[in-house]
Amino acid sequence: MLNDAFHRLRAVFRRGTVEREMAEELQFHLDRQVDVYRKLGLDEVEARRRTRLAFGGLDQISEDVRDARGTRWLDDLLRDVRYAFRTFRRLPGFAAMALIILALGIGATTVMFTVINSVLLRPLAYPEPERLVTLHGITNGFGEAWGASYPDFVDLQRESRSLTMAAWREGGGTVSAPGDPEYVDGRQISAGLFAVLGLRVAQGRPFLLDDDRPGAPAVTIISHGLWQRRFGTASAIGQRLVFDGTPYTIVGVAPEGFGLDGDVDVFTPLGENIEPRMRNREARFLHVVARLAPRAALNEAQAELAVMARRLAAQFPASNAGRELLARPLQQEVVGDIGSTLWLLLAAVALVLLIACVNMASLMLARAVSRDRELATRVSLGASRARVIRQCLTESGMLGLVGGVLGILVAAACVRPFVAFWPGALPRGGEIQLDWRVLLAALSLSLASGLAFGLAPAMRVPIGRVESTLRGASGTIVRGSKRLHSTFVVAELALAVVLLVAAGMLAHTLLTLASLDPGLNVHNVLTAHFALSPGVLGNPAQISATWQEVLDRARRVPGVESAALTDIVPMREGENTLPYSVSAAVPPLAEAPIALASSVTPDYLKVMGIPLRAGRFFDEHDRLDSEQVVVIDDNLALHAFGRGDVVGRQLWVPPMGPAPVRIVGVVGHVRHWGLAGDDLSRVRDQMYYPFAQVPLRLTRTFASFMSIAVRTRIAPLDIVEPLRRDLRGTSSDQALYEIRTMEQLVSRSLARQRFLALLFAIFGGVALFLACVGVYGVLAYLTNQRVREFGMRMALGATPRDIRRLVLRQSLGMIAVGAAIGAAGTWVSGRVLLRFVAGMHALDLSTVTTTMAILVVAALIASYVPAVRASRVDAMTALRQD
Amino acid sequence: METERLDLPQGALDLLILKTIALGPQHGWAISERLHQISGATLQIRQGSLYPALHRLERRGWIKASWGTSDNNRRAKYYELTRKGRAQLGDRTDAWRRLTSVVSLVLAAR
């Protein structure tokens, strides 16, 4: 076997030598045989003749020897490739156009596939990532949510046999030493988190069980980035870090690039957190991640979770009744719902590539017809049909491959800009890069495309009609290719229709969504997260006073009209939902209706410009010692009380205490979940309660996620610097972060729809362009074939106008069929879009008619030039043409 | 003289070549001559068909080739049996003998 391989390789790489040796060997034999005949008395000529007879045909024998070498197919292939090169060098324009079309088509497809491969298909960068899951709870009211409470987590972790669990929660803060104060993203993690994920710390050690309890010495693990920023290359282990006002000892540095769902710089032990929330079984704010035990399977874990959930519900009915537990693969959680959008884009890009290939096929077919005579000659000289077909396919395959390589280069250049252009952040964005799988897919695709569009012309290789082809009777051949050409054009038009209508639908949806009322006045409003100085956080009374001071200072900044505090901002990430009831008999928490609850200061209404429908908003009289009040939106009013007067009635909100709260006002609904998503969300009721009435025991918690919102008289971004300066606080450690204007937030809520609309518009445009090029090309070609016919008609009295009309009618026929098929296709694509794009509006007649009209007009314009050229034909020259 | 051209199956040609080479390294023409001699000129093989067979056998590793000088001072390619080839020769000869005896038996039956 090795011998075989060696000989084959030698035959491939040392072809020249091998050929020479064979010739020499055969010649030696012939000469010896001639000598024998000479010795027998024959003359030179006769001796040679006899030798030839005895030996057999030299060429045939040589071919057989080459066959025996086992590289015949390779020899043929190489010869075909070289021939293809020569052919394309003779037609640089054609080759260039083909390569550009292919490079664009395959490049775009490769970019999409790279993203899909890195984000959706590649497993996460943890060891055995398929064994990692996240825990979710399901209730009737909330549906599925990821949060777990600390007491629940501790119980589950202790009792589970099939899962090793760890938990984490967000906990950002200001790092004030060593170095300048900087707000960083942080996580509080349970001791086993690194072990569950299967990661080792880059330096130092992970948290031990001993660190993960209240009162333990404060230790922290910092990120690679933070280590480099604050300590450079010096060791950070054992050093002191002041985070959120508390000194910590650094015991470890996390591996580079590790960030739990974000850009995390500081990890602290979860167990050290002594907030009351940590003991509240109903406060579900922990993410739980778990690894399947070595011999456990996912369904075992699910079963065990179901049992544990039931046990918890029985033990603690107040907090856990009706609550089930579910484990979901971690990858799903990380990737989120972006999969559908990505696949949709891949489908669209594939359609563009398909159009490009059909275009190519049409081009190749036109060229093939002109080569008919050449191919027929080869067949008549003894080439088998298979051989000639193989040669055609090699040509187109090569074209495809070279186009594919160019496409890969295009993709390599475009991947990073595409990721940057994506609205928001692509999950796993840092991991997106071309790898071998993408390259393999791209090359296979380009080869397959090349073979596909070479198939039509290859199939024209004649076997029976060699004689007629050689004689050049063109009638039958043109008819055959005309049908194929028309089919190509019709296909291109149909595909272009599908893409254009999809683009139209997206544009229509975008326009409709953008015109929706957000429920507030978005102009001139600035919002920002705000972190109070850590030094203040120890004393609840001081916290309130500090907030008041912050508001006063904000109001005094020039350009500010009014300022307010709020815990959640519309159309920004962050939510707080509470169950409510209209009577003292509160239904079980799993079934109670839920409202979005926002804690705000009295000026909030003024700042946001939300309309007041009835009653009043909060004022300075609503304090801790006065009656608890609440303002609801008109949805909640309708939902809870039906039509009728609502102001003055009472509402029971269990998390706010057993006593009811009084409704003092009704405001308009705000599209909190974004212009696209709000109408589809589960929770559409809203309520507001005064920040001043937050109980003292919770002020510290609230202080960690309040935001400030200001209405400005001037452009909002102009006051950012003065605001930042004035709010820095006495210790200069209060920071504004995630500063956004409301306009930016509203725009961001439509970002994905806008992005898709833009991309599809580009795809539709490219598709239309290619289709029109196809129409033009085919029509030009077909009219060229009919020159004689036109000449005859003109000689018989047809006017140029008649000829033009003739050509245009032919074109219109193709356009009509293409549009009809495309219209049928849009029924399918419309349903796909509806399913996969949030907030999508169904296909409407105006969109369809507009886009169809654009297509028809464009195609007719493309047909006009060939029509005019056909009508300018001189009758005499046409008739004289062969 | 009528020369009967017997159509040799491929396996048989290989066997004959191996046997011829077993007697000592030879070049292609010498093998052809020897075959002609031994078979008493009843076997008329197209001389050229030797060469594809030789190259095939070389690829399989049953014979190996080397360039040398022939007796008339020309460069020629000499073939000799390898160890594997020698084993194959033995196996195939046995198989051939068995086959022909069985065929003869069948043909002789009444």
Side-chain angles (χ1 to χ4, degrees), chain A residues 137-150:
Chain A
I138 314 181
T139 52
N140 271 338
F142 276 94
E144 191 171 316
W146 49 259
S149 59
Y150 194 66

Side-chain angles (χ1 to χ4, degrees), chain A residues 130-133 162-164 290-299 301:
Chain A
E130 66 283 358
R131 297 188 77 76
L132 286 172
V133 297
S162 56
L163 291 168
T164 324
R291 182 179 279 278
L292 285 172
R295 267 171 296 281
L298 186 59
N299 50 0

Side-chain angles (χ1 to χ4, degrees), chain A residues 125-445:
Chain A
Y126 303 120
E128 287 188 297
E130 66 283 358
R131 297 188 77 76
L132 286 172
V133 297
T134 54
L135 251 52
H136 294 238
I138 314 181
T139 52
N140 271 338
F142 276 94
E144 191 171 316
W146 49 259
S149 59
Y150 194 66
D152 272 353
F153 164 67
V154 168
D155 289 340
L156 290 170
Q157 186 189 35
R158 189 186 53 233
E159 288 173 14
S160 173
R161 293 277 162 273
S162 56
L163 291 168
T164 324
M165 298 190 196
W168 58 275
R169 60 169 293 201
E170 280 101 351
T174 317
V175 169
S176 38
D180 293 325
E182 175 196 1
Y183 184 87
V184 296
D185 205 0
R187 299 278 181 268
Q188 297 176 9
I189 63 176
S190 67
L193 185 73
F194 280 96
V196 162
L197 290 175
L199 296 176
R200 310 167 74 89
V201 289
Q203 301 173 30
R205 63 168 181 80
F207 293 140
L208 307 168
L209 276 174
D210 226 14
D211 301 319
D212 197 16
R213 54 180 180 79
V219 293
T220 176
I221 297 177
I222 61 175
S223 73
H224 184 94
L226 186 68
W227 168 56
Q228 295 210 307
R229 284 202 303 277
R230 301 262 163 170
F231 296 91
T233 47
S235 168
I237 312 296
Q239 300 282 351
R240 184 169 160 275
L241 187 88
V242 177
F243 176 64
D244 236 18
T246 315
Y248 287 84
T249 314
I250 300 176
V251 296
V253 175
E256 191 172 351
F258 175 65
L260 271 179
D261 199 19
D263 211 356
V264 180
D265 281 319
V266 175
F267 297 91
T268 54
L270 183 62
E272 279 180 359
N273 192 325
I274 50 169
E275 276 172 28
R277 281 225 297 182
M278 296 286 287
R279 292 191 290 281
N280 183 355
R281 205 171 272 273
E282 290 174 51
R284 300 204 157 87
F285 55 92
L286 290 180
H287 296 259
V288 177
V289 63
R291 182 179 279 278
L292 285 172
R295 267 171 296 281
L298 186 59
N299 50 0
E300 285 172 44
Q302 301 278 29
E304 192 187 42
L305 282 174
V307 167
M308 290 196 289
R310 275 199 296 273
R311 210 174 327 149
L312 283 174
Q315 257 182 306
F316 306 100
S319 57
N320 289 51
R323 193 178 172 78
E324 289 164 22
L325 290 172
L326 198 62
R328 290 223 178 278
L330 180 62
Q331 180 143 355
Q332 227 174 54
E333 178 86 351
V334 168
V335 160
D337 64 345
I338 208 160
S340 48
T341 312
L342 291 178
W343 287 114
L344 184 67
L345 285 175
L346 184 68
V349 140
L351 279 185
V352 174
L353 180 63
L354 192 58
I355 297 183
C357 284
V358 172
N359 220 323
M360 283 296 309
S362 187
L363 280 175
M364 300 282 290
L365 186 61
R367 210 171 71 81
V369 171
S370 62
R371 290 173 75 194
D372 263 351
R373 235 180 254 188
E374 174 207 333
L375 295 179
T377 314
R378 297 186 95 204
V379 169
S380 67
L381 282 178
S384 69
R385 185 160 183 248
R387 184 77 186 74
V388 180
I389 289 181
R390 212 165 59 206
Q391 196 225 312
C392 287
L393 288 180
T394 310
E395 263 180 41
S396 59
M398 241 185 62
L399 203 57
L401 263 183
V402 175
V405 168
L406 288 177
I408 290 177
L409 292 175
V410 166
C414 291
V415 167
R416 283 273 126 229
F418 180 73
V419 173
F421 185 56
W422 189 275
L426 265 177
R428 303 179 73 184
E431 296 177 46
I432 297 180
Q433 47 176 262
L434 273 89
D435 67 359
W436 65 267
R437 217 169 317 186
V438 173
L439 286 178
L440 192 62
L443 287 175
S444 318
L445 186 64

Side-chain angles (χ1 to χ4, degrees), chain A residues 553 558 719-729 734 736:
Chain A
R553 277 170 170 263
I719 63 140
V720 170
E721 272 320 302
L723 196 65
R724 211 199 284 268
R725 223 177 22 237
D726 286 353
L727 295 184
R728 228 199 320 241
Q734 292 181 159
L736 281 178

